[in-house]
Amino acid sequence: MKKTLLAILATVAMVACSNDEIVREAAPEAIGFDNAFVNNSTRSAVTPGYSTTNLFEDFAVYGFVEGATLFNGVEVSKNYDNQELTSGWEYEETQYWITGANYAFYAVAPYSGNWTIKDATTPASTGAEISFTNVDGTQDLLYSGIVARQGVANNNAAVAFTFKHILSRVKFSFENGYNASAATIRVRDIKITNAYATGVATLGANAATWGEQAGEITAGVAFGNASDDEATTDVKESVEVAFGYASVYESLNERLLIPGTKEWNISFVVELLVSGQEIDEYEHTAKATIALEPGMSYDIKAVITATNIDPNHAQEPIEFTATMTDWTDAATENEATVDTIQQGNQNN
C-alpha cells in the first residue's frame, strides 16, 4: 500500500513538473522597449531637460522576472543608422519573453548622469533608491514608475515607459515697480547659493520620494540675467536689456533642483539707469522658504520698487518747495529823478 502511494505521488510530481516546463517555455519574441516619452503635464515651457517634442536619446532599464534580476541598468537607446534616426529602441544581449512568467520593469533617464541606483537588484515597488548629485542645475532626472507584464506565447507588445521628471524646475521673474519716468532697471547674476548638492530618492510604484538632501552646490546655481527672451538655454545671455516701469522680465535660464523644503538663499544685482545711463547698482541677498516638490515648476517673482531697490534703505522721492518774497520799495538814495523838459525853452 505504501509503495503504491509513493508511486502515485511520484507520478503526480512528474506530471506537474512537465506541465510547469510547458508553461514557462521561452517565446520566440525578444523583449523590446517602445513609446518612451516624457510626461510634461506639470511643465509649461522649454527646459534644460527633456520635452515631448525633443525625445531623449537613452535610458537605463531595470527588469525582473519572477523576482530574479533580468536587466540591471542596461542601456536602451534610439536606433541610428548612418546618423539617421530609425524606429524603436535597442539594447545589447537580447532577452526573451517566457510564457506565463511575471515581469516588472522600471527605467531611469538619462542613461549617463550623476546618479546611481543604490539597490539595483530590488524592484522599485519594494524601495529601490537612487542617489543623485546636482552639479549646476542643468541635468534632468526622470523615472518611469513600475510597468508590470506577464509573458504570453506570442504577440508580446514592447514595454512602454512614460517618464516623469523627479527634480523641481525653478525660474525667476522680476517686475520693475520703480515708478520714475526717466528710470529703468537691469537685473543680472541671479543665483540660488544654497541648493542641495546631493539627495536620495526612493522609487515607488508610480513616483519618487526624496530624502537625505545634503550639502550645497559650491558655485551656486546660476540663472543668468533677466531678459526679454523666453527662458531657455538656447539664447545668448545679455545684460543690455533694461526694462521700464511695470515691465516683467524672466531669468534667462531655468534650472533643475533637488526637491525639498528649506530657506533658499537668493542673490542678484539690480542696476539703476536714468535716461539710459547707469547711476548705481545694488547687490541683493534674499531668502525664500519654499517647499519644492518633484516634477513641479516654480516661478519665484520679485517686484523692484524704490523702497527695496537699495537693500540698505528705501529711496526717498525728490521733492520741491517754493516761496516768493513780496515786492520791496527802492531806497531813497536809489530813487531816479527826471528833468522836466519845458516845451517853450527847446532849441530848434
Side-chain angles (χ1 to χ4, degrees):
M1 177 77 82
K2 290 182 179 179
K3 290 182 179 180
T4 304
L5 180 58
L6 289 173
I8 293 172
L9 290 175
T11 302
V12 172
M14 289 174 63
V15 171
C17 290
S18 177
N19 288 339
D20 188 63
E21 288 172 0
I22 293 174
V23 171
R24 300 300 187 200
E25 68 178 349
E29 294 174 298
I31 296 176
F33 301 93
D34 199 6
N35 298 329
F37 71 96
V38 180
N39 180 353
N40 274 359
S41 60
T42 59
R43 307 172 77 84
S44 59
V46 177
T47 78
Y50 303 113
S51 69
T52 53
T53 57
N54 181 24
L55 291 178
F56 47 92
E57 301 297 320
D58 52 37
F59 54 85
V61 67
Y62 297 83
F64 308 87
V65 54
E66 299 293 340
T69 300
L70 187 64
F71 295 95
N72 190 2
V74 172
E75 180 181 6
V76 180
S77 59
K78 275 290 188 181
N79 178 24
Y80 284 89
D81 185 10
N82 294 326
Q83 297 185 346
E84 291 293 328
L85 181 62
T86 62
S87 60
W89 297 79
E90 292 186 341
Y91 64 93
E92 295 182 353
E93 299 183 4
T94 304
Q95 300 291 343
Y96 292 87
W97 294 100
I98 299 174
T99 305
N102 294 307
Y103 293 81
F105 303 93
Y106 68 89
V108 177
Y111 174 77
S112 298
N114 301 313
W115 61 269
T116 56
I117 294 289
K118 294 179 67 175
D119 192 354
T121 60
T122 303
S125 57
T126 59
E129 292 181 335
I130 183 169
S131 298
F132 176 68
T133 299
N134 197 344
V135 176
D136 57 9
T138 61
Q139 181 185 311
D140 208 346
L141 186 63
L142 303 101
Y143 168 58
S144 67
I146 293 290
V147 176
R149 291 281 298 277
Q150 186 177 65
V152 295
N154 48 59
N155 297 322
N156 287 275
V159 179
F161 290 125
T162 300
F163 285 89
K164 298 178 181 178
H165 302 273
I166 62 174
L167 299 178
S168 299
R169 183 183 67 169
V170 174
K171 69 175 181 179
F172 287 85
S173 294
F174 291 87
E175 178 180 347
N176 183 359
Y178 192 94
N179 190 8
S181 59
T184 55
I185 65 171
R186 290 193 294 231
V187 180
R188 60 177 173 84
D189 300 335
I190 308 162
K191 285 186 177 182
I192 290 180
T193 59
N194 67 336
Y196 293 122
T198 61
V200 176
T202 300
L203 303 179
N206 297 302
T209 304
W210 286 89
E212 300 183 36
Q213 299 94 327
E216 297 179 358
I217 299 177
T218 304
V221 177
F223 292 79
N225 310 315
S227 170
D228 57 351
D229 293 293
E230 290 295 327
T232 174
T233 58
D234 298 327
V235 295
K236 184 178 180 181
E237 193 166 327
S238 172
V239 294
E240 279 76 35
V241 178
F243 45 109
Y245 178 66
S247 297
V248 179
Y249 283 14
E250 295 182 349
S251 58
L252 189 67
N253 299 316
E254 297 170 328
R255 295 303 188 210
L256 303 166
L257 305 182
I258 295 173
T261 301
K262 70 182 302 184
E263 188 176 61
W264 306 91
N265 295 335
I266 303 163
S267 67
F268 54 92
V269 177
V270 179
E271 299 176 359
L272 175 62
L273 298 87
V274 176
S275 298
Q277 180 178 339
E278 183 178 334
I279 302 302
D280 207 344
E281 64 178 38
Y282 309 97
E283 295 185 0
H284 284 256
T285 55
K287 297 180 182 296
T289 301
I290 305 172
L292 299 183
E293 298 181 13
M296 301 300 291
S297 296
Y298 297 85
D299 185 2
I300 302 175
K301 297 183 177 181
V303 180
I304 305 301
T305 68
T307 61
N308 64 22
I309 189 170
D310 185 343
N312 296 318
H313 60 79
Q315 291 187 351
E316 297 180 350
I318 298 173
E319 298 176 340
F320 298 93
T321 62
T323 60
M324 182 181 67
T325 59
D326 291 335
W327 294 101
T328 303
D329 291 338
T332 303
E333 59 270 20
N334 292 328
E335 290 180 355
T337 59
V338 179
D339 292 334
T340 301
I341 299 175
Q342 309 228 350
Q343 193 161 4
N345 295 332
Q346 292 185 40
N347 296 322
N348 295 326

